[in-house]
Every structure is written in C-alpha cells, then in structure tokens.
Amino acid sequence: MALDKNGIAKRIAQELRDGWYVNLGIGIPTLVANYIPEGIEVEFQSENGILGMGPFPYDGEEDADLINAGKQTITVKKGAVFFDSATSFAMIRGQHVQLTVLGAMEVSQTGDIASWKIPGKMVKGMGGAMDLVASAENIIVAMMHTNKAGESKILKECTLPLTGVGCVKKIVTDLAFMEIRDGKFFLVERAPGVSVEEIIAKTDGDLVVPDFVPEMKID
Amino acid sequence: MNKVVKNVEEALKGIEDNMTLMVGGFGLCGIPENSIAHLVKMETKGLTCISNNAGVDDFGLGLLLQKKQIKKMIASYVGENAEFERQMLSGELEVDLIPQGSLAERCRAGGAGIPAFYTPTGYGTEVAEGKEVRVYNGKPHILEEALTADFAIVKAWKGDTEGNLIYKETARNFNPMMAMAGKITVAEVEELVPAGELDPNYIHTPGIFVQRIFQGEKFEKRIEQRTTRKRD
C-alpha cells in the first residue's frame, strides 16, 4: 500500500543522523520531527530565526511571538536560540545545517526542483526554499509521486519555474525512495506492498531499477 | 541622544506618496501594527513596500493592499493573501519576489554600506535573469544588489530613549536588518524605558540605527496559524 504523509515522514526520519542540524519545510517535512529515531539527537532550525524548536504548545499556552516558518505556534527546547533572518540564512547558505527536507511540485532526474510558482495560476513565492536548496549538501524532497490529476511529478525535466538546479539528492514519495545518480533516478526502496511495475508506470523520468528492490521498513 | 517621539503621527511624519518603505516582520509576527494602522489613516499612495510577506487580507500589510496604497511589493512569500494574489494576477500590483535569504542579506547590505554581493541562491532560476554570474569555488553565483528605503518601520519588544532595541523570540526576524537600511528608521516598541534600564550586553539593535522611537498604543499580535497539542 502506498505510504500516507506520516509514512513518508517516518521513512525520511530514518535518514537523520546524530548531531545534525536539520531544516524542515512546510507540510510533510514538518512531520519528520515526530519520528526521530531513538538514541540520536538532532536540532531543528526554522528559517524565521530559531534553533532548538520544541513541540506545539498546549492549548492556551500559544505565544504570538513564537512561531515556525510555517507561521505555526511552537515551543522551544532547553538550549534554544533566536536570531535574525540574515543570521538564519548565514547558517543555511554557509552550510552549517546538515540536512534540508522540503516539498516540491516537480523534481527532474538531474536534481532540479520546482516548488514555488505555476505561471498564470499560483504564485506564492519561493520563501526560503531557493536559499535552502542552493547550498545544502544534503537535500531530501518529500512529496507525492503523482499530482492530483495522476500525472508523474518525477520527470526528465521540470516544466514549472525552477527553485534550484541540480541540487536534489534523495526523494521519498508515497511509492518509493529514490536517489539521483548520474542524471537518472535510482530506485532504492519501494513502499510496503507497492510493486516495482507501479513505480515504473508512475515515473516519467529515466528510472534505474536494480535486480532487487527492497521494501521500506516502516513501523 | 533622545529619539523619542510623542506618538505614531509624529513617528511617521514625512512619509509621502511613492516612497519606499521597509516593514519588519515575518507573517504577522513582529510587524509594526500601530504604524501600519496609521499608514491606512494617512492614505499615502503609490508605496513600494519591502517586507518578507504581505500580511493577510485583513491584517498587516493586507490593510494597505485593500486600500490600494501599495504600488509595488518586494517580498519572498505572499501565499496567505487572496487580495494580493488578485491584484498581482490582474497586473494592478507590481511584485518582485526575492528569495528570503537574499532579501535579508540585501537589507543587511543596504545598511552596512555593501552595494552588492554574490550569492549561490537563485542561480539557474528566474531570479537570476539579467544578473551577473561569477564562479567561486567551482560554483556559479549571482550578483544581488543592496536594498535601502526612505523609511524603515520596525517593531521591537523593548526599547529605550536612545533607540536601543530588544526583540522577543521569533518576532526579531527581519527587523534588525531593516532597522539598519532605512534612511529614517522608526521603531515602535511594546515597552519604552529610560536609557540605562536595558542591559547593554543584551541589546540587539544599537540606537545608532534608529531615528524615532515610540511606544505603540496597543498590540493585537494576531496569530496566523494557531497550532496546539492536547494535554496527555
């Protein structure tokens, strides 16, 4: 069965490593914080100016001055720190953040990503996404394999305006875990119960399929 | 040097049609809400506003959009505002979308006397169109120019009569860089105290960047996405 949003987040959480600073984008990426593997310590950075984000506040304890980049009310952990936006993006551009997880509308087999604009229809703006993808060593895209019309979002070339060029390394969708290798998608794992044939059928870009494709281990 | 002005009227004196304003805040967090409310009253038109977001339909810069006071918006993310989207898609409103980190750094540069800088952000995208490209460490970078403004309007938690400012939590965001980049910087604060009351070790914005300071009459501090969890 294809993964739901929490399933995608659980699989991505398995990529976290002890001691990493991690920036989570809005949507599915935010859920990754709920599934940190036992025994490792990571700190979450939010680009509006906080390191050491904690869980959402209890009812009645919301603080209007304390939000994440998705404008949601949050709390802080012990040892947290606040800073201005220029310092925040110094952390990001300066590669002090080890992992960025973000959503996308399209990803290409050369690692291009499109996520901020549908010409003539929707223009929300890039927010911090262009800065995040321009410098990060390690970028994981979290998204659905196809759009609402059933069309593949895993493409040879992006059709929408780009957010970044050749920057995506890993993609986790409801169907598969893929890496970008030598200008092609490489199928690393399939979602529990999802067939290789279904993934091939729903992938528009060139997909390298090894002889054995293990199933993801999701609790 | 005493920077205190009586009220918001005095603080915003001199703002005229077609000026460029920087307005601090991230979403509705840390916005100078008293000043924005007064700009609506002033009916100033043709403004270019530099701010990370454009508020929501009925709060923040959304109030100026409703009155069609903004001619051009320079921002990074404008997703929560239907009137904004309508004005942009119909061509009434000029919009320049800038990556958030580049926006922050362009404001900082404007205040720091750096006319332009190279950044990897936006290379290969629409943002890079018409901009100089240079390769550093094997990677292409684009030239981004500094931003300044006729007035920068920022919001702080505490300020003293010298114009020194302390922000609270994530309400800091763009306020410190914008404070640096205004020809005239207006700070509206929740609490205005005499010089000497704030510990100099913990001041975020030195008063040299601030020309006028006043205590806001009231702060609604609206929450955009109230997100909570239940007690176990």
Side-chain angles (χ1 to χ4, degrees), chain B residues 101-176:
Chain B
S102 296
L103 179 60
E105 196 64 18
R106 289 175 70 178
C107 294
R108 202 198 71 81
I114 306 283
F117 58 90
Y118 284 97
T119 176
T121 302
Y123 173 76
T125 75
E126 279 181 15
V127 164
E129 281 170 20
K131 290 177 185 160
E132 263 182 69
V133 176
R134 259 179 93 160
V135 175
Y136 290 98
N137 304 320
K139 217 177 138 169
H141 293 69
I142 63 172
L143 187 68
E144 290 282 12
E145 292 181 359
L147 289 168
T148 55
D150 297 306
F151 278 77
I153 309 172
V154 303
K155 189 260 164 177
W157 180 31
K158 292 180 182 176
D160 69 15
T161 49
E162 299 283 306
N164 297 309
L165 305 177
I166 294 175
Y167 308 95
K168 186 161 174 255
E169 300 165 342
T170 54
R172 192 181 320 182
N173 54 64
F174 281 82
N175 286 299

Side-chain angles (χ1 to χ4, degrees), chain A residues 73-88:
Chain A
T73 44
I74 51 160
T75 59
V76 288
K77 298 199 309 181
K78 276 184 189 161
V81 57
F82 303 113
F83 35 84
D84 65 61
S85 301
T87 305
S88 181

Side-chain angles (χ1 to χ4, degrees), chain A residues 26 47-50 55-75 82-87 89 93 95 116-117 119-136 161-165, chain B residues 26-30 52-53 75-80 84-85 88-89 97-102 104-105 108 117 119-127 139 155 168-174 176-177 190 221-232:
Chain A
I26 297 163
E47 63 267 26
N48 59 315
I50 174 170
F56 295 132
Y58 290 119
D59 278 331
E61 293 181 3
E62 309 91 312
D63 178 348
D65 291 321
L66 184 48
I67 62 168
N68 63 18
K71 288 124 186 166
Q72 295 171 307
T73 44
I74 51 160
T75 59
F82 303 113
F83 35 84
D84 65 61
S85 301
T87 305
F89 283 94
R93 258 190 263 96
Q95 301 187 332
W116 68 283
K117 182 178 183 182
K121 268 194 202 159
M122 186 283 292
V123 188
K124 288 185 186 299
M126 65 292 283
M130 279 195 187
D131 307 277
L132 282 158
V133 301
S135 300
L162 296 181
T163 307
V165 178
Chain B
F26 184 100
L28 302 179
C29 182
N52 187 55
N53 311 87
S76 90
Y77 187 83
V78 293
E80 334 292 345
F84 182 96
E85 198 160 20
M88 172 169 59
L89 293 175
L97 289 168
I98 295 179
Q100 197 174 121
S102 296
E105 196 64 18
R108 202 198 71 81
F117 58 90
T119 176
T121 302
Y123 173 76
T125 75
E126 279 181 15
V127 164
K139 217 177 138 169
K155 189 260 164 177
K168 186 161 174 255
E169 300 165 342
T170 54
R172 192 181 320 182
N173 54 64
F174 281 82
M177 285 80 62
E190 291 180 51
K221 290 203 189 180
R222 200 184 289 190
I223 293 175
E224 214 165 321
Q225 304 282 347
R226 188 178 299 273
T227 319
T228 60
R229 65 188 154 133
K230 295 262 178 284
R231 278 174 210 280
D232 298 328

Side-chain angles (χ1 to χ4, degrees), chain B residues 49-75:
Chain B
C49 287
I50 304 171
S51 191
N52 187 55
N53 311 87
V56 295
D57 280 314
D58 61 347
F59 203 58
L61 290 181
L63 297 170
L64 297 184
L65 283 165
Q66 270 183 15
K67 302 277 184 192
K68 307 223 161 71
Q69 291 175 261
I70 301 178
K71 177 184 71 183
K72 180 176 181 180
M73 189 73 216
I74 299 175

